[in-house]
Amino acid sequence: MSGKLGRLAVIGVAATLLAAIPPRKLAADESVDLHSPDTAIAVSPPVALPDLALTKLDGGKTSLKAYLGHPVVLNFWATWCVPCVAELPELDKLAAQGVTVLAVSADHTGAAAVKPFLAKHPLTHVTVLLDPGSDAVHQAQVVGFPTTLILDAAGRVRGRLEGPATWSTGAAVVKRLAG
C-alpha cells in the first residue's frame, strides 16, 4: 500500500488495537495531568470531516451533520481510558457554558459498556454518542485516546488536541479556533 490509503490502513489498525486494550482503573494515588486547551493545534487549512455515522445511547442512529450549524467540540474517548475518564468532567463543564460537546465512545460493546459507566460517572451537559465499530474513529484519523477535534459550524476541523485537557477553561479556545 502507498500514499493516503496506506496511511489510513495503518491508522485504522492502530485505532482498532487501541480500542481493544482492557480497562485499567486509576490507582488511588495516581493522577492524570490535564493539559491546557491552549495546546490545541490549529488545523490550517481546515479539513472537512465526512458526515460521521454515530449511535445514540438509546440505540437510535444519528450523524455529525445533525449537530452542526455552530462550533462543535468532538471528543473521542473510551471507558477504559484513564486520561479520558479524567477529562470527561472538564468536557461537561465546557458544555455547561453553552458549547456543543459530543463525546464519542470507542468502546466496542457500545451502550453495554457506556451506560453502566455513566451511571457511576454522570454527565449532564455533554452529548454522549457511540462508535462501537470504530468507523468514526477511523474517518477522523484518531490514533489515540482521548483526541478532541474542534469543528467550525460547517463541520471542518479547525483544531486538534491529543490527550486530556482542562476544557472547563476552553470556551475561548473553541471560539478562537472555530470562529
Side-chain angles (χ1 to χ4, degrees):
M1 279 186 257
S2 64
K4 186 175 182 180
L5 182 59
R7 190 180 79 193
L8 289 175
V10 169
I11 290 169
V13 168
T16 301
L17 290 172
L18 283 170
I21 295 172
R24 181 177 79 82
K25 292 191 178 211
L26 193 62
D29 62 345
E30 188 178 7
S31 66
V32 173
D33 290 329
L34 298 175
H35 306 287
S36 167
D38 290 321
T39 60
I41 298 168
V43 176
S44 182
V47 176
L49 278 181
D51 189 21
L52 305 176
L54 301 162
T55 304
K56 296 178 182 181
L57 283 172
D58 66 5
K61 301 299 180 190
T62 190
S63 68
L64 178 60
K65 186 178 180 180
Y67 299 93
L68 299 179
H70 50 272
V72 170
V73 172
L74 181 63
N75 177 266
F76 291 91
W77 69 286
T79 60
W80 48 261
C81 168
V82 173
C84 299
V85 173
E87 181 182 45
L88 283 171
E90 291 291 314
L91 289 163
D92 204 43
K93 291 174 188 172
L94 177 63
Q97 297 172 40
V99 176
T100 299
V101 178
L102 306 178
V104 179
S105 167
D107 287 277
H108 285 288
T109 58
V114 176
K115 283 183 177 182
F117 173 86
L118 292 174
K120 293 180 183 174
H121 308 276
L123 300 172
T124 55
H125 304 287
V126 170
T127 300
V128 177
L129 299 168
L130 309 171
D131 183 30
S134 296
D135 296 328
V137 167
H138 296 192
Q139 290 175 322
Q141 299 183 8
V142 172
V143 294
F145 301 108
T147 294
T148 303
L149 305 177
I150 300 170
L151 311 178
D152 64 17
R156 295 175 298 203
V157 179
R158 296 289 188 132
R160 182 181 191 100
L161 181 67
E162 295 180 6
T166 54
W167 287 106
S168 60
T169 61
V173 172
V174 173
K175 186 175 182 178
R176 177 177 50 83
L177 289 173

